[in-house]
Amino acid sequence: MALTQTQQFYPGMGLTTTKAPFIEVARSRGELYIEQPYELYSEENHEAWRRLYARIQDRWQRYATEKFLEGVSKLCLDPNRVPRLDDVNQFLAPLTGFKAKAVSGYVPAYIFFDCLRRREFPTTITVRDINSLDYLPEPDIFHDIAGHVPMHTDKRFADTLVRFGEAAHTAARIVQEIKDPELQVQRIISITRALARFFWFTIEFGLMRGRNGELKVYGSGLLSSYGEIAHAIESPEVQRYPILLEWVINQYFEIDHYQPLLFIVDSFDHLFDLVDQLERWMLEGKLNNVAPGEPTMSEEDIRSFLEAVVD
Ligand SMILES: [Fe+2]
């Protein structure tokens, strides 16, 4: 009898971002959606989660939006063990219909946005190396589950993600109607760049006005970073401005250092309305020639829009 995928690996072998044979095999087979082979987590993986979770508690209390703190308590995350996605989903799905869905790595742009439309959140299952808890260029399970998923318990925020997925669907429809292949690719790059920048400056690095006007963090890149969550709110080196759609879609960003520029929304109703506006602008052609620069679109990202099934 053929071995199942996880039987090829030993329990406790580890699912570390820099070393995860299970993930490497899944990727070599072209498998994007995978199971979470929980028994493969090593004690070191659990210890990394425990340390990450313990040290950020005070900073969450101080800097995170209350919607996030409510989300954390609703999800009942275990401070000591890497979470099981099934357990997380048991608490999450009844609240907003969202579910964390394990993936083997990078999800091409359209596929990622389309998952949001279906209330699925592509989730990395590896854990960063215990010796480099501070910085990680790619997501890990702490970023995805502790940084993103608590926000998905909020109905208005969850609806905003779905609305964003719908905007990406509109983008795919628009570009698939273009007959000239060169123009088609140029449009995909520009529109997707605008969508990615919006996502970055809101869902990943957004700030929001709190109940008494104080600044709070709702962006997951900040919520999962012990250093940057405080820097984002306290540092005089950070520029913080009320969000303007025309600015955000034309603003490039770099991922490998603390962000020098952050944007503030008033509420999640405000954020939802901005996504509406983003889609309207797309339909009016205002995203067709956004300023060049990061992020760049890979061949895979471009293909994902061309191959999208649009109804
Ligand atoms: Fe993220």
Side-chain angles (χ1 to χ4, degrees):
M1 199 168 69
L3 290 174
T4 65
Q5 202 173 327
T6 42
Q7 283 168 344
Q8 299 170 51
F9 303 96
Y10 300 107
M13 186 180 246
L15 287 165
T16 308
T17 304
T18 44
K19 188 171 181 292
F22 174 85
I23 298 291
E24 284 156 31
V25 168
R27 289 181 70 79
S28 71
R29 290 176 178 170
E31 293 166 0
L32 180 57
Y33 302 116
I34 54 174
E35 57 177 314
Q36 183 189 23
Y38 196 82
E39 65 281 8
L40 296 186
Y41 287 113
S42 63
E43 279 313 308
E44 199 172 275
N45 291 151
H46 291 298
E47 178 61 16
W49 172 273
R50 196 191 63 72
R51 288 187 197 174
L52 286 163
Y53 198 83
R55 72 175 184 167
I56 208 162
Q57 292 306 308
D58 288 351
R59 295 202 166 184
W60 278 353
Q61 292 301 326
R62 193 155 160 200
Y63 300 117
T65 169
E66 60 186 25
K67 299 286 186 194
F68 175 81
L69 298 174
E70 285 166 22
V72 169
S73 92
K74 284 174 184 167
L75 291 178
C76 306
L77 296 175
D78 184 338
N80 297 313
R81 311 292 286 175
V82 175
R84 284 180 195 269
L85 268 47
D86 286 347
D87 293 346
V88 172
N89 290 339
Q90 224 179 330
F91 292 107
L92 174 62
L95 298 172
T96 60
F98 256 87
K99 281 187 176 174
K101 189 175 169 76
V103 291
S104 60
Y106 183 72
V107 181
Y110 182 78
I111 297 171
F112 180 84
F113 298 146
D114 193 50
C115 279
L116 299 181
R117 194 165 73 101
R118 288 181 275 114
R119 295 184 187 261
E120 291 172 349
F121 182 67
T123 302
T124 318
I125 57 165
T126 52
V127 190
R128 69 194 73 177
D129 189 290
I130 199 161
N131 298 311
S132 56
L133 295 183
D134 286 327
Y135 177 69
L136 192 72
E138 65 265 74
D140 73 340
I141 196 167
F142 187 75
H143 171 76
D144 280 347
I145 294 290
H148 277 281
V149 173
M151 295 306 313
H152 304 171
T153 61
D154 181 80
K155 189 174 175 319
R156 197 57 173 158
F157 188 88
D159 289 346
T160 303
L161 290 182
V162 174
R163 192 72 195 84
F164 189 83
E166 288 169 358
H169 186 260
T170 301
R173 192 168 48 72
I174 290 172
V175 297
Q176 287 187 11
E177 283 167 4
I178 299 172
K179 298 284 174 273
D180 175 353
E182 209 172 305
L183 179 64
Q184 193 178 42
V185 169
Q186 185 260 319
R187 278 288 149 77
I188 294 173
I189 291 174
S190 183
I191 294 175
T192 314
R193 187 174 269 148
L195 291 175
R197 286 172 175 170
F198 182 87
F199 194 88
W200 179 266
F201 286 111
T202 57
I203 308 305
E204 294 289 354
F205 284 89
L207 301 180
M208 190 166 71
R209 287 275 161 219
R211 208 185 280 266
N212 303 313
E214 74 282 28
L215 274 188
K216 292 288 180 183
V217 167
Y218 73 90
S220 309
L222 299 173
L223 289 163
S224 58
S225 169
Y226 176 77
E228 194 167 3
I229 191 173
H231 187 263
I233 298 291
E234 309 275 8
S235 172
E237 287 165 18
V238 178
Q239 304 176 75
R240 307 170 189 89
Y241 289 105
I243 193 163
L244 275 181
L245 194 55
E246 56 270 48
W247 187 351
V248 166
I249 61 175
N250 289 297
Q251 177 63 52
Y252 89 99
F253 60 84
E254 293 167 348
I255 65 166
D256 57 352
H257 53 78
Y258 286 0
Q259 299 300 306
L261 172 63
L262 299 172
F263 293 100
I264 307 159
V265 298
D266 298 330
S267 64
F268 292 142
D269 282 336
H270 182 201
L271 185 61
F272 187 94
D273 291 346
L274 284 167
V275 181
D276 264 347
Q277 194 185 348
L278 183 68
E279 192 188 48
R280 264 199 319 279
W281 281 19
M282 185 195 301
L283 289 162
E284 291 167 10
K286 289 183 181 174
L287 309 187
N288 288 351
N289 290 291
V290 299
E294 294 291 325
T296 51
M297 295 299 135
S298 68
E299 281 292 317
E300 252 185 310
D301 290 324
I302 293 170
R303 212 172 332 114
S304 70
F305 274 84
L306 291 175
E307 292 172 357
V309 177
V310 289
D311 27 76

